[in-house]
Amino acid sequence: MINKMGFLKRILRPTPQDTADAPVAPGSFERLSDEELQVHMGIKTYGAFELTDAIRPSYDVQIAPRQGFRYDKYVDEASGATTPVIMAAATKSILLDTFLELIDHLGNVVDVVLETSHHSSSHHEDLYREHIDVPVLKSILMEFEDVLTDDGCTGIAIINPTKKQEVQLDEHKLLIAYGAPLDPFRETLIGADVYPDKSIRFITEAEHVHSSSERMYDRFLQLQTRLGVEDESSEDTAAW
């Protein structure tokens, strides 16, 4: 199984090669005092949209978070094959419930990829669990809602390799579904009052900051144990 966690980050963020010759401007966070940063991190609502504790936009709010979804695509660099994608932002009060409803479209038995960047700001580690019953999985995820929604260093992907479909709740707390057909995912999002918006921009498309803590890392380790996931380096991986 080839992990596709984070492929949307490559779509939405320039690659190192793209930015190698670009001038580097100081980020808005680097100019803040501790007090200003604390105040900014304490702002949770932007209009009707409530963020989780995991992430905040730039200090000058280059992109104001809002609810909605848009279509995108993943292009495989080797084969040129494209995979249709839906990307969505949902307010905190419905985030996990909507994620769990999206999972229902993947079938009764799925694979899990748990993502952590607790020990690195430049890359993440992926932990795998194959063949878990969806009712069991959803029960565990509900128990660990805090780390899944409020930890900016935790992401999770639920995969059906047979259907070649995946649903992610990434570390930015975006909901991402890919693999045809997308209509069931679209209907679930609309049913949760998350509507299509071609012009929507996501928090990942501008400067932003992630938030975590020792308590969240402890909860992540507990979630890792409950899911029974393993480091990808401990197993041979095979392509879909």
Side-chain angles (χ1 to χ4, degrees):
M1 179 178 64
I2 293 179
N3 168 48
K4 293 192 173 59
M5 284 290 289
F7 77 81
L8 287 164
K9 297 175 193 172
R10 295 196 291 274
I11 293 174
L12 297 174
R13 295 180 181 176
T15 65
Q17 291 81 2
D18 294 333
T19 59
D21 298 323
V24 178
S28 66
F29 294 105
E30 297 175 9
R31 299 187 292 266
L32 300 183
S33 66
D34 290 344
E35 182 178 355
E36 288 173 325
L37 180 59
Q38 186 174 2
V39 170
H40 180 66
M41 295 300 291
I43 300 173
K44 295 185 176 183
T45 57
Y46 291 83
F49 191 93
E50 182 180 4
L51 288 166
T52 73
D53 291 340
I55 195 166
R56 291 292 182 269
S58 61
Y59 186 67
D60 54 355
V61 193
Q62 297 166 15
I63 295 177
R66 71 177 193 263
Q67 188 155 288
F69 74 84
R70 76 174 191 228
Y71 291 95
D72 212 313
K73 63 182 178 180
Y74 164 68
V75 181
D76 184 89
E77 294 180 358
S79 66
T82 61
T83 301
V85 176
I86 283 181
M87 299 182 60
T91 194
K92 179 178 180 177
S93 62
I94 66 168
L95 180 59
L96 186 66
D97 286 344
T98 305
F99 178 60
L100 296 177
E101 290 179 16
L102 291 170
I103 291 172
D104 286 336
H105 300 301
L106 296 178
N108 296 323
V109 180
V110 294
D111 297 347
V112 178
V113 181
L114 189 62
E115 176 188 282
T116 169
S117 58
H118 290 94
H119 297 304
S120 175
S121 60
S122 60
H123 67 276
H124 60 259
E125 179 183 8
D126 296 324
L127 310 170
Y128 290 81
R129 160 74 188 270
E130 296 184 343
H131 309 310
I132 183 170
D133 292 337
V134 166
V136 174
L137 171 64
K138 291 172 72 172
S139 177
I140 295 172
L141 298 184
M142 286 187 287
E143 181 182 347
F144 287 89
E145 179 176 6
D146 57 345
V147 67
L148 290 170
T149 60
D150 288 327
D151 184 19
C153 293
T154 294
I156 193 167
I158 314 302
I159 303 166
N160 185 322
T162 302
K163 298 176 70 173
K164 296 186 178 180
Q165 289 186 305
E166 176 176 337
V167 175
Q168 298 179 14
L169 176 58
D170 78 351
E171 62 184 11
H172 304 96
K173 309 316 163 189
L174 296 177
L175 296 167
I176 307 160
Y178 75 89
L182 290 177
D183 286 349
F185 302 122
R186 171 190 170 93
E187 292 171 4
T188 293
L189 290 170
I190 291 175
D193 293 329
V194 183
Y195 297 106
D197 182 349
K198 292 181 180 179
S199 66
I200 193 170
R201 298 179 67 203
F202 297 107
I203 201 168
T204 52
E205 297 177 271
E207 184 186 20
H208 58 274
V209 63
H210 296 249
S211 177
S212 188
S213 66
E214 287 299 323
R215 187 183 76 82
M216 282 296 164
Y217 181 58
D218 288 342
R219 288 288 286 163
F220 173 85
L221 294 177
Q222 294 171 28
L223 174 59
Q224 177 182 341
T225 299
R226 288 293 304 278
L227 287 174
V229 294
E230 297 180 358
D231 190 322
E232 66 173 325
S233 63
S234 66
E235 297 182 352
D236 293 331
T237 57
W240 282 0

